[in-house]
Amino acid sequence: MSKFASAMQIKLMPLKYRGKEVFKPLNTGVIDEHVKCLREYIANIFFYTKNGTTIMIDAGYNYPRLKEKMGWLDLNPADIRHILITHQDTDHVGAVEKDSDLLFSHATLYLSDIENLYLTGEKRRKVIYGLYKLPMVHSDNPRKLLKDGEIFYINDIKIEAILVPGHTWGHLVYLIDDKYLFTGDTIWFGPDGGYSLLSSLAEDNKLAVRSLDVLEEKLRSRGINPMVITGHTGWHDDLDFVFAHSDQLCHDIRKQKPHDPDAPWDGYDESGDTEQKARSIRLAKQKWMK
Protein backbone atom coordinates (compact mmCIF):
# COMPACT_ATOMS: atom_id res chain seq x y z
CA MET A 1 0.00 0.00 0.00
CA SER A 2 2.73 2.49 0.90
CA LYS A 3 4.60 2.03 -2.38
CA PHE A 4 1.39 2.81 -4.22
CA ALA A 5 0.61 5.77 -1.96
CA SER A 6 4.13 7.16 -2.32
CA ALA A 7 4.03 6.76 -6.11
CA MET A 8 0.69 8.54 -6.30
CA GLN A 9 1.98 11.43 -4.22
CA ILE A 10 4.97 11.91 -6.48
CA LYS A 11 2.67 12.05 -9.52
CA LEU A 12 -0.17 14.14 -8.17
CA MET A 13 1.07 16.41 -5.40
CA PRO A 14 3.54 18.41 -7.54
CA LEU A 15 0.59 19.44 -9.70
CA LYS A 16 -1.02 21.02 -6.65
CA TYR A 17 2.00 22.50 -4.90
CA ARG A 18 4.42 23.72 -7.58
CA GLY A 19 5.12 27.43 -7.19
CA LYS A 20 3.20 27.76 -3.91
CA GLU A 21 6.25 27.76 -1.61
CA VAL A 22 4.58 25.33 0.78
CA PHE A 23 7.25 22.61 0.99
CA LYS A 24 10.82 23.70 1.66
CA PRO A 25 12.75 20.57 2.71
CA LEU A 26 16.37 20.65 3.73
CA ASN A 27 18.76 18.80 1.47
CA THR A 28 20.54 15.76 2.79
CA GLY A 29 23.35 16.76 5.11
CA VAL A 30 24.49 17.61 8.63
CA ILE A 31 22.88 20.15 10.94
CA ASP A 32 25.36 19.79 13.80
CA GLU A 33 27.44 17.18 15.62
CA HIS A 34 24.34 15.30 16.77
CA VAL A 35 21.76 15.70 13.98
CA LYS A 36 21.86 14.50 10.39
CA CYS A 37 19.11 15.11 7.86
CA LEU A 38 17.98 13.06 4.87
CA ARG A 39 15.74 14.40 2.13
CA GLU A 40 13.01 12.36 0.47
CA TYR A 41 11.20 14.54 -2.05
CA ILE A 42 9.40 17.17 0.10
CA ALA A 43 9.99 15.45 3.45
CA ASN A 44 12.94 15.19 5.81
CA ILE A 45 13.83 12.40 8.19
CA PHE A 46 16.45 12.87 10.87
CA PHE A 47 19.08 10.88 12.75
CA TYR A 48 20.24 11.80 16.24
CA THR A 49 23.55 10.36 17.42
CA LYS A 50 25.09 10.49 20.87
CA ASN A 51 27.88 8.34 22.33
CA GLY A 52 27.63 5.74 19.58
CA THR A 53 23.85 5.38 19.63
CA THR A 54 21.79 6.60 16.66
CA ILE A 55 18.04 6.96 16.71
CA MET A 56 15.89 7.81 13.69
CA ILE A 57 13.09 10.37 13.75
CA ASP A 58 10.30 9.46 11.33
CA ALA A 59 10.58 6.95 8.50
CA GLY A 60 9.77 9.00 5.43
CA TYR A 61 8.29 7.72 2.22
CA ASN A 62 8.58 4.23 0.80
CA TYR A 63 11.63 5.70 -0.88
CA PRO A 64 13.93 3.83 -3.28
CA ARG A 65 17.04 5.92 -2.51
CA LEU A 66 16.93 5.75 1.27
CA LYS A 67 19.85 3.36 1.73
CA GLU A 68 21.90 5.29 -0.85
CA LYS A 69 21.41 8.62 0.89
CA MET A 70 22.07 7.11 4.30
CA GLY A 71 25.43 6.14 2.84
CA TRP A 72 26.08 9.80 2.06
CA LEU A 73 25.74 10.39 5.81
CA ASP A 74 27.86 7.35 6.74
CA LEU A 75 24.83 5.66 8.30
CA ASN A 76 23.94 1.96 8.09
CA PRO A 77 20.26 0.90 8.26
CA ALA A 78 21.29 -2.20 10.23
CA ASP A 79 22.45 0.06 13.07
CA ILE A 80 19.05 1.72 13.51
CA ARG A 81 17.24 -0.02 16.36
CA HIS A 82 14.88 2.77 17.45
CA ILE A 83 12.57 4.97 15.33
CA LEU A 84 10.54 7.80 16.82
CA ILE A 85 7.33 8.30 14.83
CA THR A 86 5.67 11.70 15.10
CA HIS A 87 2.58 10.52 13.20
CA GLN A 88 1.60 7.81 10.72
CA ASP A 89 1.14 9.69 7.43
CA THR A 90 2.57 8.15 4.27
CA ASP A 91 5.59 10.47 4.19
CA HIS A 92 6.53 9.66 7.79
CA VAL A 93 6.18 5.87 8.03
CA GLY A 94 6.81 4.57 4.51
CA ALA A 95 10.10 2.83 5.28
CA VAL A 96 8.50 0.61 7.92
CA GLU A 97 5.47 -0.50 5.92
CA LYS A 98 5.13 -4.17 5.00
CA ASP A 99 5.76 -3.56 1.29
CA SER A 100 8.86 -1.39 1.83
CA ASP A 101 12.46 -2.58 1.39
CA LEU A 102 12.33 -3.56 5.10
CA LEU A 103 15.61 -1.85 5.90
CA PHE A 104 14.40 -1.36 9.47
CA SER A 105 12.33 -4.48 10.10
CA HIS A 106 14.39 -5.06 13.27
CA ALA A 107 13.70 -1.59 14.72
CA THR A 108 11.22 -0.69 17.45
CA LEU A 109 8.73 2.06 16.61
CA TYR A 110 7.84 4.63 19.25
CA LEU A 111 4.51 6.43 18.80
CA SER A 112 1.59 7.65 20.86
CA ASP A 113 -1.08 5.25 22.03
CA ILE A 114 -3.62 7.49 20.28
CA GLU A 115 -1.74 7.47 16.96
CA ASN A 116 -1.54 3.69 17.13
CA LEU A 117 -5.33 3.57 16.65
CA TYR A 118 -4.72 4.50 13.00
CA LEU A 119 -2.45 1.47 12.63
CA THR A 120 -4.97 -0.89 14.20
CA GLY A 121 -7.80 0.45 12.06
CA GLU A 122 -9.78 1.76 15.02
CA LYS A 123 -9.43 5.24 13.52
CA ARG A 124 -9.04 6.28 9.88
CA ARG A 125 -6.84 9.18 8.81
CA LYS A 126 -8.85 11.92 7.09
CA VAL A 127 -7.54 14.79 4.98
CA ILE A 128 -8.93 17.46 2.62
CA TYR A 129 -10.99 18.90 5.47
CA GLY A 130 -12.22 15.46 6.47
CA LEU A 131 -13.51 14.54 3.03
CA TYR A 132 -10.98 11.82 2.12
CA LYS A 133 -9.79 8.76 4.04
CA LEU A 134 -6.17 7.75 3.50
CA PRO A 135 -5.21 4.08 3.08
CA MET A 136 -4.31 2.24 6.27
CA VAL A 137 -0.67 1.79 7.20
CA HIS A 138 0.49 -1.78 7.79
CA SER A 139 3.69 -2.54 9.68
CA ASP A 140 5.03 -5.60 11.53
CA ASN A 141 7.62 -3.65 13.52
CA PRO A 142 7.44 -3.97 17.31
CA ARG A 143 5.91 -0.88 18.92
CA LYS A 144 6.38 1.04 22.13
CA LEU A 145 3.26 3.09 22.83
CA LEU A 146 3.75 6.42 24.57
CA LYS A 147 1.65 8.71 26.74
CA ASP A 148 1.70 12.50 26.67
CA GLY A 149 4.60 13.77 28.76
CA GLU A 150 6.29 10.39 29.01
CA ILE A 151 10.06 10.59 29.50
CA PHE A 152 12.24 7.63 28.60
CA TYR A 153 15.85 6.87 27.75
CA ILE A 154 17.53 5.05 24.89
CA ASN A 155 20.93 4.36 26.43
CA ASP A 156 21.88 7.84 27.67
CA ILE A 157 19.65 9.77 25.25
CA LYS A 158 16.79 11.46 27.11
CA ILE A 159 13.51 11.67 25.16
CA GLU A 160 10.30 13.40 26.16
CA ALA A 161 7.13 12.71 24.15
CA ILE A 162 4.73 15.67 23.99
CA LEU A 163 1.25 15.27 22.53
CA VAL A 164 0.25 17.97 20.01
CA PRO A 165 -3.04 16.81 18.48
CA GLY A 166 -4.52 18.54 15.47
CA HIS A 167 -2.66 17.48 12.34
CA THR A 168 -3.46 13.95 13.49
CA TRP A 169 -5.21 12.96 16.71
CA GLY A 170 -2.12 11.41 18.26
CA HIS A 171 0.72 13.51 16.84
CA LEU A 172 3.80 13.67 19.09
CA VAL A 173 6.77 15.97 19.11
CA TYR A 174 9.99 14.71 20.68
CA LEU A 175 12.23 16.77 22.94
CA ILE A 176 15.65 15.13 22.96
CA ASP A 177 18.17 15.89 25.69
CA ASP A 178 16.21 19.13 26.32
CA LYS A 179 18.06 20.64 23.34
CA TYR A 180 16.36 19.40 20.16
CA LEU A 181 12.63 19.43 19.40
CA PHE A 182 11.53 17.35 16.41
CA THR A 183 8.08 18.60 15.44
CA GLY A 184 6.98 16.52 12.44
CA ASP A 185 3.97 18.24 10.87
CA THR A 186 2.90 20.57 13.67
CA ILE A 187 4.84 23.70 12.63
CA TRP A 188 5.38 25.26 9.21
CA PHE A 189 8.13 27.88 8.75
CA GLY A 190 7.57 30.83 6.48
CA PRO A 191 10.24 33.51 6.11
CA ASP A 192 8.42 35.55 8.77
CA GLY A 193 8.10 32.74 11.33
CA GLY A 194 6.14 29.66 12.27
CA TYR A 195 2.52 28.79 11.49
CA SER A 196 0.31 25.76 12.04
CA LEU A 197 0.74 23.20 9.22
CA LEU A 198 -1.20 22.51 6.90
CA SER A 199 -4.83 23.59 6.70
CA SER A 200 -6.22 20.97 4.31
CA LEU A 201 -4.29 18.07 5.86
CA ALA A 202 -5.22 18.53 9.52
CA GLU A 203 -7.80 16.48 11.34
CA ASP A 204 -8.73 19.58 13.37
CA ASN A 205 -7.16 22.97 12.62
CA LYS A 206 -8.50 24.70 15.73
CA LEU A 207 -7.07 21.95 17.90
CA ALA A 208 -3.72 22.17 16.07
CA VAL A 209 -3.48 25.88 16.89
CA ARG A 210 -4.37 25.29 20.55
CA SER A 211 -1.74 22.56 20.72
CA LEU A 212 0.96 24.96 19.55
CA ASP A 213 -0.11 27.47 22.20
CA VAL A 214 0.22 24.78 24.88
CA LEU A 215 3.58 23.66 23.49
CA GLU A 216 4.97 27.20 23.50
CA GLU A 217 3.84 27.79 27.08
CA LYS A 218 5.38 24.51 28.16
CA LEU A 219 8.77 25.35 26.66
CA ARG A 220 8.87 28.94 27.89
CA SER A 221 7.69 28.12 31.41
CA ARG A 222 10.49 25.59 31.74
CA GLY A 223 13.11 27.94 30.30
CA ILE A 224 13.87 25.52 27.47
CA ASN A 225 15.04 26.98 24.16
CA PRO A 226 15.67 23.98 21.89
CA MET A 227 16.58 23.80 18.24
CA VAL A 228 13.18 23.29 16.61
CA ILE A 229 13.38 20.93 13.63
CA THR A 230 10.37 20.51 11.32
CA GLY A 231 9.45 17.75 8.91
CA HIS A 232 9.17 19.90 5.79
CA THR A 233 10.54 23.43 6.33
CA GLY A 234 13.90 23.23 8.06
CA TRP A 235 14.90 24.36 11.53
CA HIS A 236 15.32 27.41 13.75
CA ASP A 237 16.60 28.10 17.26
CA ASP A 238 14.65 31.24 18.25
CA LEU A 239 11.27 30.58 19.88
CA ASP A 240 10.06 34.04 18.88
CA PHE A 241 10.47 32.98 15.26
CA VAL A 242 9.15 29.46 15.81
CA PHE A 243 5.85 30.61 17.32
CA ALA A 244 5.55 33.99 15.56
CA HIS A 245 2.24 33.10 13.84
CA SER A 246 1.29 29.89 15.61
CA ASP A 247 -2.30 31.12 15.95
CA GLN A 248 -2.59 31.13 12.15
CA LEU A 249 -2.75 28.38 9.53
CA CYS A 250 -0.55 27.79 6.54
CA HIS A 251 -3.23 27.67 3.84
CA ASP A 252 -1.77 25.29 1.29
CA ILE A 253 -4.13 25.97 -1.60
CA ARG A 254 -2.56 29.32 -2.45
CA LYS A 255 0.90 30.79 -2.93
CA GLN A 256 2.45 31.71 0.37
CA LYS A 257 2.97 35.28 1.51
CA PRO A 258 5.37 36.82 2.23
CA HIS A 259 7.42 35.45 -0.65
CA ASP A 260 10.34 33.25 0.35
CA PRO A 261 13.17 33.71 -2.17
CA ASP A 262 14.79 30.47 -0.99
CA ALA A 263 11.70 28.32 -1.51
CA PRO A 264 11.98 25.80 -4.36
CA TRP A 265 9.49 26.13 -7.19
CA ASP A 266 8.99 22.37 -7.06
CA GLY A 267 9.76 20.74 -3.72
CA TYR A 268 9.72 17.33 -5.40
CA ASP A 269 12.70 18.22 -7.62
CA GLU A 270 15.71 16.63 -5.90
CA SER A 271 18.31 17.60 -8.50
CA GLY A 272 20.06 19.85 -5.97
CA ASP A 273 20.36 17.11 -3.38
CA THR A 274 23.80 15.56 -3.96
CA GLU A 275 26.36 13.54 -2.05
CA GLN A 276 28.99 16.25 -2.56
CA LYS A 277 26.78 18.83 -0.85
CA ALA A 278 25.75 16.38 1.86
CA ARG A 279 29.37 15.86 2.79
CA SER A 280 30.54 19.47 2.56
CA ILE A 281 27.79 21.93 3.52
CA ARG A 282 26.22 22.44 6.94
CA LEU A 283 22.45 22.90 6.78
CA ALA A 284 21.58 26.45 7.79
CA LYS A 285 18.45 27.52 9.64
CA GLN A 286 15.48 29.19 7.95
CA LYS A 287 16.20 32.86 7.25
CA TRP A 288 14.07 35.31 9.21
CA MET A 289 12.70 38.17 7.13
CA LYS A 290 11.57 40.59 9.84
Side-chain angles (χ1 to χ4, degrees):
M1 183 66 70
S2 182
K3 281 186 178 179
F4 175 78
S6 293
M8 289 301 293
Q9 281 206 16
I10 304 315
K11 290 180 180 179
L12 298 178
M13 288 186 70
L15 302 177
K16 177 180 179 181
Y17 290 113
R18 281 183 186 131
K20 293 183 179 175
E21 302 184 0
V22 170
F23 293 111
K24 300 176 285 186
L26 295 169
N27 281 329
T28 302
V30 174
I31 292 179
D32 67 8
E33 67 274 18
H34 291 294
V35 182
K36 294 180 178 180
C37 170
L38 191 148
R39 178 178 176 180
E40 297 182 348
Y41 308 122
I42 59 166
N44 289 130
I45 59 179
F46 300 95
F47 301 89
Y48 182 85
T49 300
K50 178 182 175 184
N51 296 334
T53 298
T54 297
I55 60 176
M56 183 173 172
I57 299 93
D58 280 331
Y61 285 100
N62 199 325
Y63 183 68
R65 300 180 64 196
L66 177 53
K67 186 175 182 180
E68 173 196 351
K69 288 190 179 182
M70 287 184 70
W72 298 357
L73 299 171
D74 297 320
L75 295 170
N76 184 348
D79 295 333
I80 304 300
R81 299 286 173 177
H82 308 276
I83 304 177
L84 308 181
I85 301 294
T86 60
H87 65 295
Q88 60 86 65
D89 284 351
T90 300
D91 53 340
H92 292 261
V93 294
V96 294
E97 288 225 35
K98 282 185 177 181
D99 71 339
S100 71
D101 293 335
L102 300 179
L103 297 175
F104 311 105
S105 58
H106 54 284
T108 297
L109 308 183
Y110 298 75
L111 70 161
S112 78
D113 55 347
I114 300 171
E115 197 72 8
N116 189 57
L117 298 178
Y118 290 117
L119 302 184
T120 63
E122 295 169 76
K123 287 186 180 293
R124 287 296 300 275
R125 175 74 167 106
K126 297 179 181 179
V127 295
I128 318 300
Y129 305 103
L131 298 176
Y132 179 71
K133 292 182 180 179
L134 293 180
M136 275 187 61
V137 170
H138 300 280
S139 174
D140 289 332
N141 287 67
R143 302 172 199 169
K144 166 68 174 174
L145 303 186
L146 304 170
K147 300 286 188 181
D148 180 28
E150 186 168 344
I151 296 173
F152 60 100
Y153 287 81
I154 296 175
N155 293 336
D156 62 348
I157 299 173
K158 178 187 176 184
I159 304 166
E160 180 176 353
I162 303 172
L163 184 66
V164 283
H167 183 75
T168 64
W169 298 119
H171 196 302
L172 291 177
V173 299
Y174 293 99
L175 181 64
I176 298 184
D177 287 332
D178 292 323
K179 296 179 180 179
Y180 301 86
L181 185 69
F182 293 90
T183 64
D185 282 6
T186 59
I187 300 174
W188 179 88
F189 287 159
D192 60 339
Y195 294 73
S196 178
L197 175 147
L198 280 166
S199 59
S200 71
L201 302 182
E203 295 275 17
D204 186 325
N205 280 303
K206 290 183 179 179
L207 179 59
V209 168
R210 289 200 299 272
S211 292
L212 288 184
D213 184 55
V214 171
L215 178 62
E216 180 180 10
E217 172 59 26
K218 187 171 296 187
L219 296 175
R220 292 190 186 277
S221 66
R222 290 165 58 180
I224 297 174
N225 187 36
M227 178 184 293
V228 177
I229 305 172
T230 73
H232 298 278
T233 57
W235 67 275
H236 212 282
D237 55 5
D238 186 327
L239 292 186
D240 290 338
F241 173 89
V242 169
F243 294 104
H245 307 283
S246 58
D247 60 339
Q248 301 176 44
L249 305 176
C250 170
H251 291 281
D252 55 329
I253 61 174
R254 66 188 184 211
K255 185 173 181 177
Q256 300 306 302
K257 293 182 180 180
H259 165 62
D260 186 345
D262 294 327
W265 182 76
D266 183 355
Y268 289 85
D269 178 3
E270 295 184 295
S271 59
D273 193 30
T274 67
E275 181 174 6
Q276 189 275 328
K277 289 181 180 178
R279 292 185 177 279
S280 62
I281 300 174
R282 285 288 179 108
L283 300 174
K285 62 186 173 185
Q286 166 77 47
K287 294 179 182 176
W288 191 353
M289 296 171 55
K290 296 185 180 182

